[in-house]
Amino acid sequence: MANIDIRRPHDRSPQQARAAVERVAAKIAAKFGIRHAWNGDELDFHGSGVRGRIVLAPRQVHLTASLGFPVSMFRNSIESEIHDYLDREFG
């Protein structure tokens, strides 16, 4: 099993940050076939071989994910794409 742990600072309002996280989640869902749902300021996601969370704090976005064995072989490319999505929205 492999883990991904990414933090990004931001200076957006809560509404703007939430909308940006939603766009990131939609891109991840389209690319990797995950489902997601908000639980307060946390967006939980899961799919075949992946489970994670995006926590939206006032000045930071924190994404964590656990990848099952088959998916973990692609950890570097998955993490790179997530970095790209976060950079586009919060960079």
Side-chain angles (χ1 to χ4, degrees), residues 5 7 23 35 55 57 59 75:
D5 189 326
R7 296 173 191 264
R23 288 189 296 271
R35 292 172 297 285
V55 178
R59 297 181 116 4
R75 179 188 179 272

Side-chain angles (χ1 to χ4, degrees), residues 1-89:
M1 184 175 298
N3 294 312
I4 296 174
D5 189 326
I6 303 170
R7 296 173 191 264
R8 279 285 186 286
H10 74 82
D11 58 357
R12 298 183 177 203
S13 72
Q15 295 82 9
Q16 292 171 326
R18 188 177 181 102
V21 167
E22 187 66 41
R23 288 189 296 271
V24 169
K27 290 174 185 171
I28 294 170
K31 178 72 178 189
F32 302 110
I34 60 134
R35 292 172 297 285
H36 62 278
W38 284 98
N39 182 15
D41 288 335
E42 299 178 0
L43 186 137
D44 295 319
F45 60 88
H46 65 280
S48 182
V50 64
R51 178 168 302 280
R53 172 173 289 153
I54 303 173
V55 178
L56 184 57
R59 297 181 116 4
Q60 178 177 270
V61 174
H62 183 200
L63 181 143
T64 56
S66 295
L67 309 176
F69 177 70
V71 178
S72 68
M73 296 185 330
F74 303 101
R75 179 188 179 272
N76 291 338
S77 61
I78 292 169
E79 186 171 12
S80 178
E81 285 202 50
I82 293 171
H83 274 287
D84 288 345
Y85 299 150
L86 290 170
D87 287 345
R88 287 182 210 145
E89 293 297 334

